Amino acid sequence: MRNRILIIGGVAGGASAAARARRIDENAEIIMFEKGPDVSFSNCSLPYYLSRTVKTSDALVLMEPGQFKKQYNIEARVNSEVLKIKRAEKKIVIKDLSTGKEYEEVYDKLVLSPGAVPIRPKSIEGIMNPNVFTVRNVVDIKKLDDYIVEHKVNKVAVIGGGFIGVEITENLVHAGVHVSLIEALDQIMAPFDYDMAQILHKEMYDKGVNLILSDGVKKISSDSIELQSGRKVEAQAVVLAIGVRPETELAKDAGLETGETGGIKVNHNYQTNDKDIYAVGDAVEVFNMLTHKPSRLALAGPAQMQARAATDDMYGISDNNRGVIGSSVVQVFDMKAAATGLNEKTAKAAGIIYDFAYVIPPDKVGLMPGSNPLHFKLLFECPTGKILGAQAIGKGEADKRIDVIAALITMGGTLEDLKGLELCYAPLFSTAKDVINFASLVGLNLLNNKYRQVRVTQVRELVESGAFIVDVREKHEYEQGHLVTAVNIPLSELRERMDEIPKDKPVYMHCLTGQRSYNAVLALQGHGYTSIYNISGSFLGICAYEYFLDQVTNRKKIVTAYKFDLKN
């Protein structure tokens, strides 16, 4: 018998399921239904049309219905809204939005890939104004761009500092628009910890973005927005990027179960509580392999893998579903920011005992052109040393380092595994001991109590409390910028000047990146000092953490001058 597979929704999940079904079964009848005019488009590339990095909106469309039919013998029906699933009859009800006609189609197997819809809080006055936009598809980004061009908009407010909000902001700036990015939380980019997010805040600030944190939107008008704090921000157009919610209404109406996160509940093969209905993509609830708890993950890569697994199950092909870890990367002007697995917030929420290594080595040999510091934070479980997650931010290849960590997390890797990992090296690409090898060694030292560290977030408190801080950089480095209370005892002079360092109180060491101060810590411990701490991230980390906050507040500065490179 000919298998009839109907798929609701296209893009990453639906189109991937359709293509996989065709590869397995040449005789199947496969029909996709898409509510909008485009069944296959690069939704992750949408913001890049605003800056014309993607030259035309048509280029965002990857495949037309005619191409699906010719190349894959898959029927793709656009402008077709599925209104109802009749499970008992194994039928769906479709409305042709071009004609208004309703009709039914029968299925053997049904795949739901409805995605997620942008959140539009009704509590915000003016939320439905014509100058307020969300971005989900090609039609949306074209409407936003057309409005900016036609109304000669030069000031835009972007609400929400997640992936979409940050990418929209960057591309609008590249297009010559002044952007205010407003985030209700105290940081942008939730996958990153607060200390790492400060690097991104600095980058936004340096590129002229009016970044407003810890403030929400109260009212939107034609030329401005009013924030909860009472502050007014000029904006002729507003982009809502507050977040998304899974589009589950169709599934709920059909009696399909949803999980505790609000997504459609599926088993390890992405099968719903109806054995003939599968669900994939942004609308489903997935299993997090690190927390062992349900979660949602709105990313294209996992959606494609889910689609393949679901289609395989229809044909009796097994899938080893290990769960998700949440790997991501984003460009923030000159910075690449990548993350995988757990950060400190999520590790704490899961009740996991952890520690971290924060290192800032160069991303390639310092003699090479384009060598820059790479801020790298590696989380590991205590006492097992199991790798839990990592974050990397820098001008260099942050993503390739995080990809390595993602692979090891998936394989249950530990710090010992990472320590012995042999990676590619040439001066133009890396250092002989790569960033991630370096981080694993720091992690093992911490795990095995070879020395103790304090967080970069604690430095202000140490300075203000009069703690004894030693800067072991050379004198010329110290003179270019230093902590206001730090004593300069270069590593090259340390052994001759140990009598200047007290033994009856805690001593906190730092250099530029933490490597020289680590050697200083071990030297002092070897001479009987028992209360010595290394400052994680050292001076570069301190500068990155303090800079943005110092620019936007009136607090007393604890750094005489900021430094962000590794040249000295």
Side-chain angles (χ1 to χ4, degrees):
M1 292 180 62
R2 192 180 191 191
N3 200 20
R4 201 164 202 262
I5 302 171
L6 304 187
I7 300 169
I8 302 173
V11 200
S16 295
R20 178 60 177 165
R22 174 57 70 225
R23 288 194 295 272
I24 295 173
D25 186 356
E26 179 61 25
N27 295 314
E29 184 179 1
I30 305 168
I31 309 174
M32 277 191 296
F33 300 89
E34 172 58 48
K35 184 178 179 180
D38 304 303
V39 72
S40 179
F41 59 91
S42 180
N43 53 350
C44 298
S45 301
L46 294 175
Y48 297 91
Y49 171 61
L50 298 171
S51 62
R52 296 305 187 268
T53 301
V54 175
K55 300 299 182 185
T56 67
S57 59
D58 290 342
L60 293 164
V61 180
L62 302 178
M63 189 169 286
E64 300 283 359
Q67 291 175 276
F68 269 106
K69 187 64 177 176
K70 289 179 180 178
Q71 294 185 20
Y72 300 104
N73 193 23
I74 293 169
E75 186 176 353
R77 300 181 188 175
V78 295
N79 299 312
S80 298
E81 181 180 6
V82 177
L83 303 176
K84 190 176 184 63
I85 301 170
K86 295 182 176 181
R87 287 172 54 195
E89 303 172 48
K90 296 187 72 171
K91 292 180 179 179
I92 61 172
V93 180
I94 308 103
K95 182 177 182 179
D96 186 330
L97 298 179
S98 301
T99 64
K101 177 186 175 183
E102 292 185 14
Y103 62 99
E104 295 182 350
E105 293 284 2
V106 66
Y107 64 84
D108 295 307
K109 300 292 181 182
L110 179 65
V111 180
L112 306 182
S113 181
V117 293
I119 296 171
R120 235 185 227 263
K122 295 180 180 178
S123 59
I124 299 176
E125 186 179 344
I127 197 72
M128 300 307 294
N129 287 356
N131 66 330
V132 179
F133 301 86
T134 58
V135 175
R136 187 187 185 190
N137 53 38
V138 178
V139 173
D140 291 340
I141 201 71
K142 189 71 168 60
K143 282 182 179 178
L144 171 61
D145 187 78
D146 288 346
Y147 188 90
I148 290 171
V149 172
E150 290 171 13
H151 293 81
K152 296 181 173 56
V153 171
N154 54 33
K155 291 184 179 179
V156 173
V158 177
I159 316 301
F163 289 98
I164 296 296
V166 165
E167 290 172 344
I168 291 286
T169 296
E170 179 185 3
N171 282 278
L172 285 174
V173 170
H174 288 323
V177 177
H178 180 268
V179 182
S180 296
L181 177 58
I182 298 152
E183 170 56 58
L185 300 177
D186 60 0
Q187 69 167 82
I188 63 171
M189 295 307 301
F192 296 87
D193 284 317
Y194 185 71
D195 52 355
M196 298 292 282
Q198 298 306 324
I199 306 164
L200 303 179
H201 295 165
K202 175 192 180 300
E203 185 69 5
M204 287 280 187
Y205 181 86
D206 287 350
K207 294 302 189 291
V209 175
N210 180 26
L211 179 58
I212 301 171
L213 303 172
S214 303
D215 209 347
V217 179
K218 181 179 180 182
K219 180 181 178 181
I220 301 173
S221 62
S222 61
D223 60 359
S224 67
I225 60 173
E226 181 181 341
L227 304 182
Q228 295 291 341
S229 62
R231 179 178 178 180
K232 285 196 174 182
V233 177
E234 289 185 58
Q236 299 135 322
V238 176
V239 181
L240 294 178
I242 299 171
V244 296
R245 61 171 178 81
E247 195 162 356
T248 58
E249 287 77 9
L250 192 64
K252 287 179 180 178
D253 289 345
L256 300 178
E257 293 179 11
T258 54
E260 59 186 81
T261 67
I264 301 170
K265 194 170 184 177
V266 293
N267 65 14
H268 66 290
N269 291 315
Y270 302 99
Q271 194 174 40
T272 68
N273 54 299
D274 185 317
K275 66 181 180 64
D276 294 317
I277 301 179
Y278 295 79
V280 299
D282 298 357
V284 305
E285 183 175 86
V286 293
F287 174 76
N288 186 296
M289 71 173 294
L290 292 166
T291 64
H292 292 180
K293 294 178 180 178
S295 62
R296 288 193 291 111
L297 190 65
L299 295 172
Q304 290 188 350
M305 289 185 279
Q306 293 161 18
R308 182 185 180 95
T311 309
D312 282 356
D313 187 68
M314 294 179 195
Y315 289 92
I317 302 171
S318 62
D319 176 67
N320 181 18
N321 187 339
R322 288 172 290 193
V324 302
I325 59 175
S327 300
S328 61
V329 65
V330 66
Q331 182 87 23
V332 184
F333 294 101
D334 294 338
M335 291 292 179
K336 299 178 180 72
T340 189
L342 303 182
N343 56 30
E344 289 199 68
K345 298 184 289 289
T346 50
K348 286 175 183 175
I352 297 173
I353 301 173
Y354 71 93
D355 203 348
F356 68 89
Y358 177 19
V359 298
I360 318 175
D363 53 15
K364 62 184 71 172
V365 171
L367 296 172
M368 295 297 109
S371 174
N372 284 289
L374 184 63
H375 294 255
F376 191 87
K377 186 172 183 178
L378 179 70
L379 270 72
F380 54 90
E381 185 180 61
C382 299
T384 65
K386 178 183 176 183
I387 299 169
L388 298 174
Q391 303 155 51
I393 301 177
K395 294 182 179 180
E397 305 302 326
D399 54 331
K400 81 171 184 178
R401 272 76 182 203
I402 292 302
D403 283 340
V404 171
I405 301 299
L408 282 183
I409 290 174
T410 304
M411 298 170 67
T414 66
L415 290 172
E416 287 287 352
D417 296 318
L418 193 54
K419 168 189 171 183
L421 202 62
E422 183 181 345
L423 300 168
C424 296
Y425 162 66
L428 282 168
F429 297 93
S430 178
T431 51
K433 185 188 296 176
D434 190 70
V435 171
I436 60 175
N437 299 124
F438 188 44
S440 70
L441 294 173
V442 173
L444 283 168
N445 282 332
L446 293 169
L447 187 66
N448 296 321
N449 296 313
K450 298 296 184 183
Y451 75 96
R452 291 175 289 178
Q453 70 175 0
V454 294
R455 301 163 179 262
V456 71
T457 56
Q458 297 172 279
V459 172
R460 174 169 288 275
E461 181 183 344
L462 293 176
V463 170
E464 293 175 347
S465 66
F468 196 89
I469 300 173
V470 180
D471 185 336
V472 303
R473 295 177 299 157
E474 295 302 312
K475 184 180 178 180
H476 72 277
E477 295 176 84
Y478 176 84
E479 290 174 346
Q480 290 175 4
H482 58 266
L483 290 172
V484 294
T485 59
V487 177
N488 183 215
I489 305 178
L491 179 62
S492 58
E493 303 173 14
L494 180 70
R495 288 167 180 82
E496 291 76 34
R497 297 176 60 183
M498 280 189 184
D499 58 342
E500 300 177 33
I501 302 174
K503 283 190 174 182
D504 59 350
K505 64 168 70 173
V507 176
Y508 303 91
M509 318 290 291
H510 81 80
C511 58
L512 185 64
T513 65
Q515 188 170 12
R516 282 175 286 175
S517 54
Y518 161 67
N519 283 282
V521 166
L522 293 188
L524 290 173
Q525 288 178 170
H527 283 269
Y529 287 79
T530 58
S531 190
I532 306 294
Y533 298 84
N534 200 16
I535 296 175
S536 71
S538 265
F539 192 65
L540 272 182
I542 295 165
C543 289
Y545 182 78
E546 293 288 327
Y547 177 83
F548 171 74
L549 294 170
D550 280 353
Q551 307 309 311
V552 298
T553 64
N554 294 320
R555 67 185 191 173
K556 185 177 179 180
K557 292 179 174 56
I558 62 170
V559 181
T560 61
Y562 296 99
K563 191 172 188 63
F564 296 101
D565 62 59
L566 294 167
K567 302 305 179 187
N568 294 295

